[in-house]
Amino acid sequence: MTSLTIGKAILALAAVFTAVGPVMADFNHTHVYNPNWPPHARFHNGQTMSTGVALGLSALYFLYRRPSASSSLAHNLNIAIFLIHLYYIPSLSGGLYPGALFLDPEFGEGRPQIWIFSAIMGFSWAGWWIARKGIAGVGPGLEKRM
């Protein structure tokens, strides 16, 4: 396992949030236990939660696996941020489909996912940038070992 650095720690937080955030947000009366949801909607919600878990754990794997001859630390960082974004970009596109809403009307109006998902992606980009600067040996010196 490679060492923990500030940039990788930021990316790891984004990956952990990707793995547990959807389950925490959806395993309640607004989604999984919502009596107004038909069984097939629950299937897709379960699929989405499981996708978040799989992508978050996969990102963590690439963040902390030892670089090899075929994969550098930079390559692993690129894969990790790709996996994190692979959850949020399609999730944001969900509101573009006909008849789709970001919230069920019984729970209010708005689009909180836009702000939350954009913040997580921005946070992960900051971690990626700090980590990449650290391995390149340039930048603000933020990539000290913890």
Side-chain angles (χ1 to χ4, degrees):
M1 193 175 267
T2 61
S3 63
L4 180 65
T5 61
I6 292 171
K8 285 171 49 178
I10 292 170
L11 275 167
L13 283 173
V16 168
F17 189 85
T18 302
V20 300
V23 176
M24 290 175 57
D26 292 359
F27 219 97
N28 58 44
H29 71 286
T30 65
H31 288 72
V32 172
Y33 296 116
N34 188 337
N36 297 324
W37 278 33
H40 192 65
R42 293 171 202 265
F43 164 82
H44 282 291
N45 185 229
Q47 181 182 28
T48 301
M49 290 186 294
S50 295
T51 299
V53 171
L55 290 170
L57 293 177
S58 296
L60 286 171
Y61 168 77
F62 279 97
L63 275 175
Y64 292 104
R65 81 175 185 163
R66 205 173 288 283
S68 65
S70 62
S71 71
S72 65
L73 179 56
H75 179 74
N76 290 349
L77 291 170
N78 292 344
I79 292 174
I81 197 167
F82 172 75
L83 291 167
I84 291 167
H85 283 63
L86 202 53
Y87 181 81
Y88 296 106
I89 292 171
S91 293
L92 287 171
S93 76
L96 301 174
Y97 288 89
L101 294 172
F102 282 92
L103 293 174
D104 283 326
E106 66 190 288
F107 300 109
E109 296 178 5
R111 299 179 296 242
Q113 298 91 332
I114 290 175
W115 309 112
I116 295 167
F117 294 173
S118 297
I120 295 164
M121 288 191 297
F123 186 70
S124 64
W125 274 115
W128 176 87
W129 182 82
I130 292 168
R132 290 295 304 251
K133 292 293 183 186
I135 61 175
V138 297
L142 296 173
E143 202 55 30
K144 302 211 183 323
R145 300 205 187 281
M146 295 175 71

